[in-house]
């Protein structure tokens, strides 16, 4: 592509970004973005900066010190002593060890499960880190960031990235430790060696996103020492690995994923990975300075990205999980370096821990609110990618408070890396608070309201629309009966590989909030797979009195269609009568004619649904729930799909209804249990 065409594409892309910023943020942020764009044009490209830094560092390296640094690090490991961790892992009961061995043996046959549910078989004879095992598409070595969004349907770069995160090393390390079988270590060595050989510095898709480099680097540093990788490799590999690790640090430091007024989980991974540099290469001044910079920035970003209520700003529970993992690992690395963790980090993460405990105590599988790419930072146990976040509580305890009382094997496999912990009595996966421990309560976490009472709960979504990985899911509700979700979210099938599905996943009709006239709460930009305008300004009111909690939420997303229109939803939960009454309506002085309401309630597949007249009867393990139309609208039960994990679709029942109503006219449903 000639230079003029590239310049034209850059100008068009930047113009589109500026247009969106004007609509969403106004002139102040737009001006800052313009300054940032101009500054980028006047400074050296990041690739050139990275190459210059690469040449400077490698010219000044003391090879003897470098060799000592890398050998010392790989002999002692990252957090606890390697022998202590291995001793704990060898104590796993046979039942659990056998499950891990089965998964590890699948890896030896080049079979991988990514995103917690998508099973892939890699080509053993012609294996390439550039080949998408799902579509067989081979990415060119010359691929650039713009290529990610310009491929034909069905090609998702995340498939390549997910395997190249090397999170499968966790299973191989556990299997190697449990059996002393060197096959697992040799397989890990072969995969790391082939990755380094095939992905030369700054060339190809695995050098496009610093976050991917940060995740890969961190998993290498935690699990390769446990696999005794240097025992099975010569001095040439040690040098090759040390060189690649330094290149990862250089690439991340020179390509930090931050822009004026905006940073997200990507930047958190950049900073946390840089905290590793002084622990591995203590003799390299640049590495020490990079860690100091990262520590200072991490404190600032944690306070920016986690609200005072403890919830992450991204508008997504799966991304709250991911960002929590990243920041906790950052805290562990600061502690390992012998430095005190800044008070600003501790205080805000304690609030995040409180929020996490609050929402994970409600049910085994939490609602998928907002985007979900099944992303984790470091893999501690099989199935960690699933939408069960209870283990996070143990991570907060281990890393913030240096204590661990694991309730199950998952939590035990987390804690062995950070502190001494006894093997739990239970081999199950989840343990929730006893029913009697929770009295009626409701808390507002910056727009996500969670009400709880014994084994029931209600999530009510009025999160801001313009932040992070949000969807058009305002006023959606997620009742939980007997610790089980009743209504579920559609989830996220793909970010880049299936564009129509990507847009559909974010649409208002893919959630259970009221849809008015088929409109979208927030404008979805067809040529942007992540941006959602912030027209749907939300607010709420929460009242708790004796045995009744009343939550009223509203948004203004339809004002661009009908000036002054507000959409309301109210849920009145009476714990004594065991009912949740849902009421929807619109208000607006300029509404001159009736509006069309439409509802789509996706039903959790663990419930079996049968429609009886205007009532949906749901049953699950002896529990029965009734969802009734109180105004004679008429309910229709059909089949649909949802995504429990990224790139995984599963069938579910969908309850649909529609009705016209005048401004101010209220429409009622009731859930009885």
């Amino acid at each position: 592509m000639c230079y003029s065409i590239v310049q034209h594409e850059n100008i068009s892309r930047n113009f589109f970004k500026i247009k969106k910023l004007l609509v969403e943020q106004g002139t102040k942020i737009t001006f800052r973005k313009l300054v940032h764009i101009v500054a980028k044009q006047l400074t050296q490209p990041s690739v050139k900066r990275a190459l210059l830094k690469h040449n400077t560092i490698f010219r000044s390296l003391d090879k003897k010190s470098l060799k000592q640094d890398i050998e010392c690090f790989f002999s002692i490991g990252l957090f606890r002593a390697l022998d202590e961790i291995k001793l704990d892992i060898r104590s796993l009961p046979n039942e659990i060890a056998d499950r891990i061995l089965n998964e590890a043996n699948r890896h030896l046959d080049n079979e991988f499960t990514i995103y917690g549910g998508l099973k892939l078989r890699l080509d053993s004879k012609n294996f390439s880190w550039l080949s998408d095992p799902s579509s067989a598409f081979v990415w060119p070595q010359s691929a650039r960031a713009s290529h990610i969004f310009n491929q034909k349907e069905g090609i998702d770069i995340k498939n390549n990235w997910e395997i190249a995160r090397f999170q499968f090393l966790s299973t191989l390390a556990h299997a190697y430790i449990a059996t002393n079988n060197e096959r697992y270590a040799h397989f890990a060595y072969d995969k790391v060696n082939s990755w380094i050989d095939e992905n030369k510095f700054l060339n190809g898709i695995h050098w496009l996103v610093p976050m991917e480099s940060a995740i890969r680097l961190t998993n290498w540093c935690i699990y390769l020492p446990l696999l005794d990788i240097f025992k099975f490799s010569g001095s040439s590999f040690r040098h090759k690995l040390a060189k690649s690790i330094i290149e990862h640090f250089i690439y991340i430091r020179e390509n930090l994923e931050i822009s004026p007024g905006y940073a997200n989980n990507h930047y958190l991974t950049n900073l946390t990975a840089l905290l590793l540099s002084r622990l591995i290469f203590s003799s390299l001044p640049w590495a020490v300075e990079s860690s100091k910079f990262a520590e200072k920035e991490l404190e600032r970003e944690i306070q920016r990205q986690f609200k005072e209520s403890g919830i992450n700003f991204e508008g997504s529970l799966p991304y709250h999980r991911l960002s929590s993992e990243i920041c906790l690992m950052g805290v562990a690395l600061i502690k390992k370096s012998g430095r005190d963790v800044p008070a600003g980090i501790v205080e805000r993460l304690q609030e995040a821990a409180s929020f996490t405990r609050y929402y994970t105590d409600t049910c085994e599988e939490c609602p998928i609110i907002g985007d979900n790419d099944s992303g984790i930072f470091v893999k501690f146990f099989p199935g960690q990618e699933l939408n069960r976040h209870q283990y996070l509580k143990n991570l907060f305890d281990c890393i913030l408070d240096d204590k661990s009382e694991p309730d199950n094997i998952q939590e035990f496999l987390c804690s062995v890396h950070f502190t001494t912990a006894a093997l739990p009595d239970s081999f199950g996966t989840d343990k929730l608070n006893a029913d009697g421990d929770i009295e009626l309560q409701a808390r507002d976490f910056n727009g996500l309201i969670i009400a709880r009472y014994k084994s029931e709960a209600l999530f009510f979504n009025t999160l801001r629309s313009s932040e992070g990985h949000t969807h058009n899911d305002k006023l959606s509700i997620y009742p939980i009966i007997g610790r089980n979700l009743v209504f579920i979210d559609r989830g996220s099938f793909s970010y880049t590989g299936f564009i129509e599905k990507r847009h559909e996943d974010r649409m208002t009709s893919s959630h259970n909030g009221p849809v008015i006239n088929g409109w979208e709460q927030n404008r979805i930009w067809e040529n942007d797979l992540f941006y959602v305008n912030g027209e749907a300004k939300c607010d709420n009111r929460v009242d708790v009195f004796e045995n009744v909690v009343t939550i009223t939420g509203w948004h203004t997303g339809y004002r661009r269609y009908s000036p002054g229109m507000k959409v309301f939803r109210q849920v009145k939960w009476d714990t004594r009568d065991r009912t949740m009454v849902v009421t929807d309506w619109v208000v607006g002085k300029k509404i001159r004619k009736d509006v069309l309401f439409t509802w789509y309630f996706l039903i959790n597949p663990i419930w079996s649904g049968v429609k009886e007249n205007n009532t949906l009867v749901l049953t699950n393990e002896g529990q029965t729930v009734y969802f009734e139309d109180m105004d004679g609208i008429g309910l229709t039960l059909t089949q649909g799909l949802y995504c429990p994990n990224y790139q995984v679709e599963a069938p579910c029942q969908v309850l649909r209804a529609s009705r016209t109503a005048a401004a101010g006219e209220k429409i009622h449903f009731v859930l009885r249990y």
Side-chain angles (χ1 to χ4, degrees):
M1 184 181 292
C2 68
Y3 179 76
S4 61
I5 296 176
V6 173
Q7 285 291 91
H8 176 73
E9 284 190 353
N10 289 337
I11 292 170
S12 298
R13 188 159 51 248
N14 287 328
F15 176 78
F16 183 68
K17 290 180 180 178
I18 293 166
K19 179 183 176 183
K20 289 191 297 183
L21 280 171
L22 277 171
V23 173
E24 171 62 27
Q25 301 288 356
T27 56
K28 184 177 180 180
I29 294 295
T30 304
F31 177 74
R32 291 170 65 185
K33 183 65 178 179
L34 277 168
V35 172
H36 178 67
I37 291 171
V38 172
K40 284 180 68 176
Q41 299 298 322
L42 296 177
T43 57
Q44 291 177 329
S46 58
V47 171
K48 187 173 182 179
R49 293 199 311 271
L51 285 172
L52 288 172
K53 182 62 68 175
H54 181 277
N55 294 337
T56 301
I57 288 176
F58 278 92
R59 277 199 303 267
S60 62
L61 274 180
D62 181 334
K63 292 185 178 180
K64 183 178 180 181
S65 296
L66 176 66
K67 182 175 181 292
Q68 290 174 343
D69 282 348
I70 198 72
E71 290 183 349
C72 178
F73 175 77
F74 273 81
S75 66
I76 63 174
L78 188 51
F79 296 115
R80 292 178 67 206
L82 296 178
D83 288 344
E84 293 178 3
I85 297 175
K86 290 179 178 181
L87 190 62
D88 286 341
I89 291 173
R90 290 188 183 112
S91 71
L92 289 172
N94 291 336
E95 175 188 350
I96 304 301
D98 287 345
R99 293 180 199 168
I100 293 173
L101 288 176
N102 287 337
E103 182 70 13
N105 290 335
R106 290 183 64 249
H107 292 342
L108 297 185
D109 290 332
N110 278 289
E111 295 180 12
F112 294 84
T113 299
I114 60 176
Y115 315 126
L118 180 62
K119 297 183 184 299
L120 298 173
R121 175 181 281 276
L122 310 185
D123 188 336
S124 300
K125 293 183 179 179
N126 300 301
F127 174 79
S128 171
W129 291 98
L130 303 178
S131 177
D132 179 354
S134 183
S135 66
F137 176 77
V138 178
W139 292 89
Q141 283 283 4
S142 60
R144 294 291 177 262
S146 60
H147 296 161
I148 297 171
F149 305 100
N150 295 312
Q151 301 301 326
K152 59 184 178 182
E153 189 86 352
I155 299 171
D156 192 339
I157 197 169
K158 277 183 64 62
N159 295 338
N160 296 77
W161 286 347
E162 195 74 13
I163 297 172
R165 288 179 171 187
F166 278 85
Q167 290 168 337
F168 62 84
L169 292 179
S170 166
T171 303
L172 293 172
H174 292 154
Y176 167 69
I177 293 166
T179 64
N180 287 319
N181 191 326
E182 296 180 359
R183 289 191 307 155
Y184 303 111
H186 282 294
F187 183 84
Y189 161 77
D190 289 340
K191 283 290 182 277
V192 173
N193 193 44
S194 70
W195 188 94
I196 296 172
D197 286 344
E198 191 175 357
N199 296 278
K200 303 302 182 185
F201 185 53
L202 302 182
N203 291 325
I205 58 172
H206 297 296
W207 294 105
L208 291 181
V209 177
M211 177 182 189
E212 299 303 320
S213 298
I215 294 175
R216 176 169 50 254
L217 175 64
T218 307
N219 282 273
W220 278 3
C221 292
I222 289 177
Y223 288 110
L224 291 181
L226 285 168
L227 282 156
D228 298 328
I229 201 73
F230 283 177
K231 177 181 174 182
F232 308 105
S233 58
S235 58
S236 61
F237 175 76
R238 299 184 188 194
H239 177 75
K240 181 191 291 187
L241 181 61
K243 180 173 180 287
S244 184
I245 290 174
I246 294 175
E247 288 174 342
H248 277 69
F249 285 133
I250 293 171
Y251 173 64
I252 294 165
R253 183 67 179 89
E254 297 302 325
N255 293 271
L256 294 172
E257 296 174 271
I258 186 173
S259 61
Y262 186 75
N264 59 12
N265 60 88
H266 283 238
Y267 191 44
L268 294 177
T269 64
N270 301 165
L271 300 175
T272 295
L274 288 176
L275 289 170
L276 280 163
S277 58
R278 65 184 168 201
L279 293 172
I280 303 176
F281 300 112
S282 57
S283 66
L284 184 60
W286 176 85
V288 175
E289 289 302 316
S290 293
S291 283
K292 289 180 179 178
F293 159 80
E295 183 179 318
K296 183 177 179 181
E297 281 290 288
L298 187 64
E299 179 178 13
R300 183 174 71 99
E301 285 303 317
I302 286 175
Q303 294 184 75
R304 288 181 60 208
Q305 295 193 34
F306 286 87
K307 305 289 188 179
E308 290 184 3
S309 68
I311 192 172
N312 184 267
F313 87 106
E314 300 260 25
S316 159
L317 284 183
Y319 277 87
H320 172 86
R321 182 260 292 270
L322 174 61
S323 294
S324 295
E325 285 185 1
I326 297 164
C327 294
L328 286 170
M329 187 60 64
V331 169
L333 292 171
I334 292 172
K335 285 185 172 183
K336 183 63 179 178
S337 69
R339 297 175 61 83
D340 293 332
V341 182
I345 289 179
V346 175
E347 292 170 3
R348 191 53 55 89
L349 288 185
Q350 290 286 12
E351 293 298 330
S354 177
F355 166 66
T356 302
R357 292 187 182 98
Y358 192 89
Y359 84 82
T360 55
D361 278 344
T362 62
C363 56
E364 293 183 2
E365 190 166 1
C366 68
I368 302 175
I369 295 175
D371 266 347
N372 177 33
D373 71 346
S374 303
I376 57 175
F377 187 51
V378 171
K379 187 161 186 173
F380 297 110
F381 57 85
Q384 185 177 334
E385 302 91 342
L386 300 177
N387 207 44
R388 294 183 169 95
H389 300 177
Q390 281 79 13
Y391 71 91
L392 269 183
K393 297 181 290 184
N394 179 261
L395 274 181
F396 277 110
D397 288 342
C398 286
I399 296 174
L400 290 184
D401 301 322
D402 297 314
K403 65 180 183 181
S404 177
E405 296 179 3
D407 288 328
N408 51 57
I409 293 298
Q410 293 179 341
E411 294 181 0
F412 178 75
L413 288 173
C414 292
S415 61
V416 295
H417 293 276
F418 306 104
T419 185
T420 303
L423 194 68
D425 295 331
S426 169
F427 298 158
T429 57
D430 299 306
K431 182 178 179 181
L432 302 171
N433 283 347
D435 292 353
D437 291 346
I438 301 177
E439 297 302 320
L440 179 61
Q441 54 189 267
R443 292 180 60 183
D444 180 1
F445 298 94
N446 289 89
L448 180 61
I449 302 104
I450 305 176
R452 309 190 307 180
Y453 178 68
K454 295 188 175 180
S455 63
E456 280 69 55
L458 174 69
F459 286 63
F460 192 117
N461 184 2
T462 61
L463 290 164
R464 282 191 58 186
S465 299
S466 58
E467 294 186 337
H469 286 274
T470 187
H471 286 187
N472 279 354
D473 53 6
K474 311 314 152 196
L475 306 186
S476 58
I477 57 173
Y478 306 90
I480 294 165
I481 306 298
R483 303 291 189 196
N484 293 306
L485 275 166
V486 178
F487 301 138
I488 55 175
D489 191 275
R490 181 183 173 90
S492 304
F493 183 79
S494 175
Y495 287 172
T496 62
F498 300 82
I499 295 174
E500 289 187 8
K501 285 189 177 184
R502 171 61 177 160
H503 290 315
E504 189 175 343
D505 290 342
R506 298 189 295 163
M507 291 170 61
T508 309
S509 58
S510 292
H511 307 86
N512 64 48
V515 182
I516 308 299
N517 293 338
W519 296 333
E520 288 300 322
Q521 296 173 351
N522 302 282
R523 201 172 324 183
I524 294 178
W525 299 74
E526 290 186 5
N527 54 351
D528 194 311
L529 301 179
F530 292 91
Y531 189 82
V532 174
N533 268 64
E535 289 103 342
K537 305 299 182 185
C538 299
D539 209 342
N540 66 73
R541 184 177 68 251
V542 181
D543 299 300
V544 180
F545 181 71
E546 294 183 348
N547 58 288
V548 177
V549 56
T550 303
I551 306 170
T552 308
W554 58 93
H555 75 74
T556 60
Y558 297 135
R559 283 186 172 182
R560 66 185 186 279
Y561 301 110
S562 179
M565 178 183 282
K566 282 186 180 180
V567 183
F568 284 79
R569 167 167 282 180
Q570 181 181 88
V571 180
K572 184 178 181 180
W573 178 14
D574 189 322
T575 60
R576 184 176 301 158
D577 291 345
R578 299 171 70 84
T579 60
M580 296 181 185
V581 177
V582 182
T583 306
D584 293 340
W585 71 98
V586 299
V587 299
K589 294 180 179 179
K590 296 185 178 181
I591 301 176
R592 304 303 181 195
K593 58 182 181 179
D594 292 353
V595 298
L596 176 64
F597 281 83
T598 312
W599 298 269
Y600 304 85
F601 295 95
L602 274 65
I603 301 167
N604 189 340
I606 68 170
W607 297 91
S608 178
V610 177
K611 195 170 77 70
E612 297 180 358
N613 297 322
N614 281 338
T615 301
L616 174 69
V617 182
L618 299 169
T619 55
N620 172 46
E621 296 183 350
Q623 176 84 53
T624 303
V625 173
Y626 305 89
F627 189 70
E628 181 182 354
D629 154 30
M630 298 176 67
D631 298 315
I633 299 172
L635 304 175
T636 302
L637 191 61
T638 61
Q639 290 295 317
L641 295 170
Y642 82 111
C643 303
N645 301 91
Y646 190 84
Q647 281 219 27
V648 176
E649 281 187 325
C652 69
Q653 292 179 297
V654 182
L655 188 67
R656 299 184 179 185
S658 62
R659 176 191 162 158
T660 57
E665 183 179 355
K666 296 184 177 181
I667 302 169
H668 309 274
F669 302 91
V670 61
L671 184 148
R672 294 181 282 111
Y673 59 95

